[in-house]
Amino acid sequence: MPGGSRWTPPGGFGAPAGGLAEPWRPPWVRAAKAGWPVAAAIVVAVVQVVGSSAAARHQSGRVPLDAFGYLLLLLGPALLVLRRRWPVAVVAGTSLVTAVYVTAGYPYGPVFLSWVIACCTAIGSGHRRAAWAGLGGVYLVHALVTFAVPADWQRAAPSTITWWQELALIAWLLLVVSVAEIVRFRREQMAAHREYEQQLAQRRANEERLRMARELHDILAHSLSLINIQAGVALALIDRRPEQARTALTTIKATSKEALGEVRQVLGTLRAPGAAAPRGPAPGLDRLDELTEQADNVGLAVEVHEKGSRRALSAGVDLTAFRIVQEALTNVIRHSIARQAVVVLDWTDPDALVVVVADPGPASPGDAGGSGSGLAGMQERAAAFGGGITAGPVAPSAGGGFRVRAVLPTRPEGAPPGATGEWPGTSGAGPGTTDEREGA
């Protein structure tokens, strides 16, 4: 063909038309997988025919094998070919064949092999009642022929099986069935364990995806809001006051650089094994001054007040407090006319940190409410540590300010008072209301 290219059908050679191709396997692998039931049935048939013929030489009172006897010896293994598709029907068929063989007086031997395999397969596939019914039915026929049916009614001579031999037979059957039940139970346990591991992995992936979405939202919403405002200032002043425009552009450069660094740090969780870990410090309340400085650059004066003595926090709570303050200030910048805001960190409760961010308002004209998930992200962060978010107007009067209040427990549930630590997962949603001025 032109260019030496080779045409390949969609999905690869051997792919079904109009559908997705299954994973490619070598022809001998497919043949072995498809032919295994037939091969196993042939092996069982050989064992039953050869074994029963050899056993007949040592059982003088039994009926010699004839054409019908050999047909029964072959019919049971033939049914095993379908044991995976129709296990109940195969149990019934092999049980009937075995019962007829025993009733006809043919020599005892490995004729029971196909019947036992069918019963064990049914147990393994969950059809336990059918398997136990087949076992009980065949044994009942054997017991009646051996101990109850008169000798005149039988083709073979009276049985010489003793009671201890009968007990050994019962014990052997129970052992085989018990092994099948143990294998079935083990398989169910392994399947349940695999399903649990898959669900756990999926839940962890979902939690990690949600965490990264919250981090990216908080970083980008805050940084892009600052960049947007500073870009507008630079555009308005670039012709009249170039020096002030230069200051705005410098702020844009610094803010975007910091945002890129934090985004790389968040996306570092997706790095390949062996990649270098992020070297930047994790955001926390120690970097609160940076937030107030960034807000001041866009004309929002932020006052920070602390009640009580600051104490060490776990990394998770520290990051959550920082992100809540960051998102609340971003909402003020984007959705309020206010040019000042107050941040209060209340440390007076030894078991919780209360974070309050408020502005005097009013809301920006035409602001009908954001369509993003700013407050939802705050609520999820607080709920992960058993806390909650409340948000609403500072005063009931229209046009008043807005306040966000977060309560963050600083110790795990059950820990002694004053203890700090990490929480393994979420512990339920905290109280909260819908923020009408929610950020992007």
Side-chain angles (χ1 to χ4, degrees):
M1 299 184 68
S5 61
R6 298 179 60 189
W7 178 82
T8 302
F13 290 100
L20 297 177
E22 296 182 357
W24 184 85
R25 296 183 179 89
W28 56 87
V29 174
R30 296 198 301 268
K33 185 176 180 181
W36 167 245
V38 176
I42 293 176
V43 172
V44 173
V46 171
V47 171
Q48 288 195 169
V49 171
V50 175
S52 298
S53 300
R57 302 173 184 174
H58 306 283
Q59 301 180 34
S60 57
R62 308 299 294 176
V63 177
L65 286 170
D66 52 16
F68 183 66
Y70 284 112
L71 176 63
L72 294 176
L73 291 175
L74 295 174
L75 185 57
L79 293 174
L80 292 181
V81 177
L82 306 175
R83 69 184 185 277
R84 299 293 183 184
R85 183 174 298 180
W86 296 302
V88 176
V90 172
V91 166
T94 54
S95 298
L96 179 62
V97 169
T98 305
V100 171
Y101 184 93
V102 172
T103 305
Y106 291 117
Y108 285 101
V111 63
F112 301 101
L113 181 59
S114 58
W115 168 62
V116 170
I117 292 176
C119 291
C120 291
T121 302
I123 291 175
S125 60
H127 302 282
R128 303 173 63 219
R129 293 184 178 179
W132 282 96
L135 289 169
V138 173
Y139 180 77
L140 179 62
V141 171
H142 160 75
L144 290 175
V145 171
T146 303
F147 302 105
V149 177
D152 297 340
W153 294 7
Q154 299 188 34
R155 297 177 59 193
S159 176
T160 58
I161 298 178
T162 60
W163 282 104
W164 67 268
Q165 291 175 323
E166 193 67 21
L167 291 176
L169 175 61
I170 296 175
W172 178 80
L173 288 176
L174 291 177
L175 177 62
V176 171
V177 175
S178 298
V179 171
E181 290 283 1
I182 292 173
V183 172
R184 177 196 61 81
F185 179 73
R186 180 59 179 169
R187 286 180 177 176
E188 291 179 353
Q189 276 192 324
M190 294 175 64
H193 181 71
R194 285 194 298 269
E195 182 178 1
Y196 171 77
E197 290 292 337
Q198 292 175 354
Q199 294 177 353
L200 183 61
Q202 182 64 35
R203 183 167 66 249
R204 288 174 177 171
N206 292 338
E207 292 175 353
E208 183 65 15
R209 177 184 55 81
L210 182 60
R211 185 191 70 81
M212 293 180 61
R214 287 196 301 259
E215 285 289 304
L216 291 175
H217 170 271
D218 293 344
I219 294 170
L220 296 179
H222 177 76
S223 301
L224 293 179
S225 297
L226 299 180
I227 291 173
N228 179 264
I229 293 175
Q230 292 292 338
V233 172
L235 185 63
L237 299 177
I238 192 169
D239 294 328
R240 295 178 299 165
R241 300 176 183 176
E243 292 302 324
Q244 293 186 14
R246 182 183 300 275
T247 301
L249 292 174
T250 302
T251 303
I252 290 175
K253 179 180 179 181
T255 303
S256 60
K257 181 178 180 181
E258 180 182 355
L260 286 174
E262 292 191 2
V263 169
R264 289 192 187 100
Q265 188 169 353
V266 173
L267 297 181
T269 57
L270 298 179
R271 66 185 185 275
R279 293 174 290 180
L285 292 180
D286 291 339
R287 298 177 58 185
L288 196 57
D289 292 342
E290 297 180 18
L291 284 183
T292 60
E293 182 180 353
Q294 292 173 356
D296 184 67
N297 290 334
V298 296
L300 178 65
V302 180
E303 297 181 5
V304 179
H305 302 284
E306 298 194 41
K307 298 180 181 180
S309 301
R310 180 177 290 200
R311 57 183 179 272
L313 298 175
S314 66
V317 175
D318 199 19
L319 174 62
T320 297
F322 178 86
R323 293 303 187 199
I324 288 174
V325 175
Q326 183 184 55
E327 178 60 27
L329 292 179
T330 301
N331 284 344
V332 175
I333 294 172
R334 297 189 58 198
H335 303 294
S336 177
I337 296 178
R339 295 298 89 192
Q340 59 182 353
V342 177
V343 177
V344 179
L345 303 178
D346 190 348
W347 303 88
T348 55
D349 188 342
D351 297 328
L353 168 64
V354 179
V355 179
V356 179
V357 181
D359 69 272
S364 300
D367 183 15
S371 59
S373 55
L375 183 63
M378 297 186 205
Q379 291 173 334
E380 291 170 356
R381 289 182 180 277
F385 298 93
I389 296 286
T390 54
V394 174
S397 60
F402 204 82
R403 179 179 66 180
V404 175
R405 183 176 185 271
V407 179
L408 303 175
T410 56
R411 65 186 180 94
E413 183 179 355
T420 61
E422 294 290 350
W423 284 257
T426 59
S427 58
T433 59
T434 302
D435 188 352
E436 296 179 356
R437 298 206 319 251
E438 186 176 329

